[in-house]
Amino acid sequence: MIDDTDREQGTEFLPRFDANGLLTAVVIDRSSKDVLMVAFMDREALDATLETGEAHFHSRSRGRLWKKGETSGNILRVAEIGVDCDQDALVLKVEPGGPVCHTGARSCFYRRLDDGRLTFVDS
Amino acid sequence: MIDDTDREQGTEFLPRFDANGLLTAVVIDRSSKDVLMVAFMDREALDATLETGEAHFHSRSRGRLWKKGETSGNILRVAEIGVDCDQDALVLKVEPGGPVCHTGARSCFYRRLDDGRLTFVDS
């Protein structure tokens, strides 16, 4: 049994996967610090990321391992991984090889909410 | 039925809650752009956030609405909300009123992963 205090205050990496077996992964640009995308990792995706240094996720819609850039070629080199207090979320600091969003945008966050409507922002 | 294209390219806010009724919310410091925490919002938490301008989440462990800072007093004023391509994740740009993490740290991401171990970083 893993103690909460160990998880929060220790130096051991004890990822806490949720009921669906997933961690939340926030991908940010190492240089600009912009949030580029949010995705999920199961144990397989985490291990593949740590082994290769390239971001892998678990696609909830396709139910399988998904190497970011496997189709587009825009892989994400992971420079650093931040871990949160209860170890159920990661921040991946990456050097993007191109647009991160499947729409072709630099970041998936290309809109902001203004008075209930979305406004396109520079991304 | 909401069309994927409308959701990705439109100006209508059409949040896509997951199978558990949740969106992912990434909280960043408006000034430093540091990622402070990651949490989840159901419809109730989203509405409360939009109505008050203060961050509310859905606590998965407690199964209820959770106003950030309700106990600590460190509420999060939301300055801007970014929305991602498929509208299942938000970035909240906030002005923190104090330490964001329940451990007392400025950010929940006070450790990074180095060769399989965690290292404490300035937070």
Side-chain angles (χ1 to χ4, degrees):
Chain A
M1 190 66 189
I2 296 168
D3 186 81
D4 277 354
T5 305
D6 291 344
R7 200 167 236 141
E8 292 187 354
Q9 300 303 330
T11 56
E12 193 175 350
F13 183 43
L14 302 165
R16 193 175 75 171
F17 298 94
D18 71 9
N20 299 311
L22 300 174
L23 302 174
T24 309
V26 179
V27 178
I28 72 170
D29 185 300
R30 183 190 196 181
S31 304
S32 69
K33 298 170 80 173
D34 287 338
V35 178
L36 300 176
M37 61 179 285
V38 173
F40 298 91
M41 286 184 172
D42 60 2
R43 168 59 78 178
E44 181 185 25
L46 176 62
D47 287 347
T49 300
L50 296 177
E51 280 162 22
T52 64
E54 296 171 349
H56 290 67
F57 304 105
H58 177 78
S59 168
R60 296 190 297 177
S61 56
R62 289 170 287 176
R64 67 166 179 86
L65 183 68
W66 157 46
K67 177 181 172 178
K68 178 67 186 167
E70 64 189 6
T71 306
S72 66
N74 295 323
I75 62 163
L76 296 176
R77 292 289 313 168
V78 180
E80 187 178 313
I81 298 180
V83 181
D84 79 340
C85 47
D86 56 1
Q87 303 203 34
D88 64 1
L90 305 177
V91 169
L92 310 186
K93 296 185 182 180
V94 306
E95 295 168 357
V100 164
C101 188
H102 73 285
T103 62
R106 191 181 60 82
S107 160
C108 292
F109 292 89
Y110 50 80
R111 292 171 296 184
R112 70 162 184 258
L113 189 57
D114 285 325
D115 293 328
R117 305 286 300 177
L118 301 179
T119 303
F120 285 77
V121 294
D122 179 36
S123 69
Chain B
M1 191 67 187
I2 297 168
D3 185 81
D4 277 354
T5 306
D6 291 343
R7 200 167 236 139
E8 292 187 354
Q9 301 303 332
T11 57
E12 194 174 351
F13 184 43
L14 302 165
R16 194 175 74 171
F17 298 93
D18 71 9
N20 298 311
L22 300 174
L23 302 174
T24 308
V26 179
V27 178
I28 71 170
D29 185 300
R30 183 190 196 180
S31 304
S32 69
K33 298 171 79 173
D34 286 338
V35 179
L36 301 176
M37 61 178 286
V38 173
F40 298 90
M41 285 183 172
D42 60 2
R43 168 60 77 177
E44 181 185 24
L46 176 62
D47 287 347
T49 300
L50 296 178
E51 280 161 24
T52 64
E54 296 172 349
H56 291 67
F57 304 105
H58 177 80
S59 168
R60 296 190 296 178
S61 55
R62 289 169 286 174
R64 68 166 178 85
L65 183 68
W66 158 45
K67 177 180 170 178
K68 178 68 186 167
E70 63 189 6
T71 305
S72 67
N74 295 323
I75 62 163
L76 297 176
R77 292 288 313 169
V78 180
E80 188 178 313
I81 298 179
V83 181
D84 80 340
C85 47
D86 57 1
Q87 302 202 37
D88 63 1
L90 305 177
V91 170
L92 309 186
K93 297 185 182 179
V94 307
E95 296 168 356
V100 164
C101 188
H102 73 285
T103 62
R106 191 181 60 82
S107 160
C108 293
F109 292 88
Y110 50 80
R111 292 172 296 185
R112 69 162 184 257
L113 189 58
D114 284 325
D115 293 329
R117 304 287 299 176
L118 300 179
T119 303
F120 285 78
V121 294
D122 178 38
S123 68

